[in-house]
Amino acid sequence: MHAEIIAIGDEITSGQLLDTNSQWLSQRLEELGIRVLYHSTVGDEFDAIAGVFRRAVERADVIIATGGLGPTADDLTREAIAAVAGVRLVMDEAALEHVRSIFARRNRPMPPKNEVQAMLPEGGRVIHNPHGTAPGVEMAIARKGVRTHFCEAAGTDRRSVGPSRELSPDPFSNLCRLYALPGVPAEMREMWFGTLEASLRAIGGGQRIVRHRKIKCFGAGESQVEQMLPDLIRRGREPRVGINASKTTIILRITAEGDTQEECYAAMEPTVATIRECLGDLVFGEGDDELQHAVCRLLRQKGKTLATVEWGTGGLVADWLNDVPEAADCFVGGLIVSSEGAVQQTLGVAADLFEQHGPISQEVAAAMATACRDRFDADYGLAVGCFPEHDPQAESPASFYLALAAPGGLTVQPLPYAAHPAILKNFCAKRALNLVRLAIS
């Protein structure tokens, strides 16, 4: 069973409002084993809305639309559904009484224009909205020119057939179920749990469930990671494996369907094992893990501590580490420096080291790491050196230096200062954490 989610409103297409409804509904549908193949967003134009609905009816088993059920002239969802179904709008007296009761409860007179919210496509069913004036609409529409609609409230089925086609022997096998909900997130979610979830289960949703696992990687690009995996990301494979990059972290998403949660996770295990075998230490965690979680986990496992000093990253590494709930046991502190003088005064690094090698050098980075380790009496001292000027046009990017003072000695790593400016500092901070992770592993 496949679904399409339609978000309606100029406020979304203009970029003034972020569509969080579609994300939330996608997650709920996948929990019922209903795969979402399409997200559509459409402005408040009748022809555009009707066109989106027509396409959705032909390609989806389930449609969930949000928005456009208000009382104003730009709320056109009801009219568009009626046009696509080939029926008229009719007044639902029970819905009208509900709208009136909402205004009465709020001790406000109901404007006459709000009566339109009780108009439904003929044959549709009201989806109760306990705390809002916009009832939802539930309707079944047949594909390919056959119009079939039903009225559960009356306990009867009514079918109307277009002039050019006859009903198939089993018209309900060709139905698309459409649910229209208000765009207010709180109302939409309440209506999901109050009505939609049970309705979708009744037509087959939830018979099989969908579960996901996310494998997190760092240290190689998206295309390189894909090349290292033996045909895992091809279309049609089960379980499905998707890949994407998020702020230079590579995420492998494994999706399996089954009758039970245990069956889903069991089906994923061979794929997870293959990923870990092929990618080795590029893999640092799963789920919501970030590199700082992996570093703190390793430090705690080995009973070791870490201190940091940051010049280029301005305290980003320390901030991430400090946000890990268990960090107090292993992250003993961090320093932020912003000049040669600060490095000399805070850590006691000799001034002649800067004169001989310059602030952007492996010698200064090494001295910073060693002094940081000594000052905090930590097992590991991590230093992020000074950053060079970023020149996106340079043929060969300049380098910056990371250094890690450890019980077994000192490691200094030169790295190219290169990435998109929007994520450059973030990328460098992750490289610093990854240096620690690999050294402890």
Side-chain angles (χ1 to χ4, degrees), residues 21 39 80 108 124 126 137 201 279 377 388 429:
N21 285 345
H39 278 195
R108 292 167 47 198
V126 169
V137 179
R201 287 185 184 279
L279 299 185
D377 192 24

Side-chain angles (χ1 to χ4, degrees), residues 295-317:
V295 167
C296 285
R297 187 163 52 242
L298 287 167
L299 287 168
R300 285 166 55 85
Q301 287 173 1
K302 296 180 182 292
K304 302 297 183 181
T305 57
L306 170 70
T308 61
V309 57
E310 300 173 70
W311 192 336
T313 44
L316 191 56
V317 173

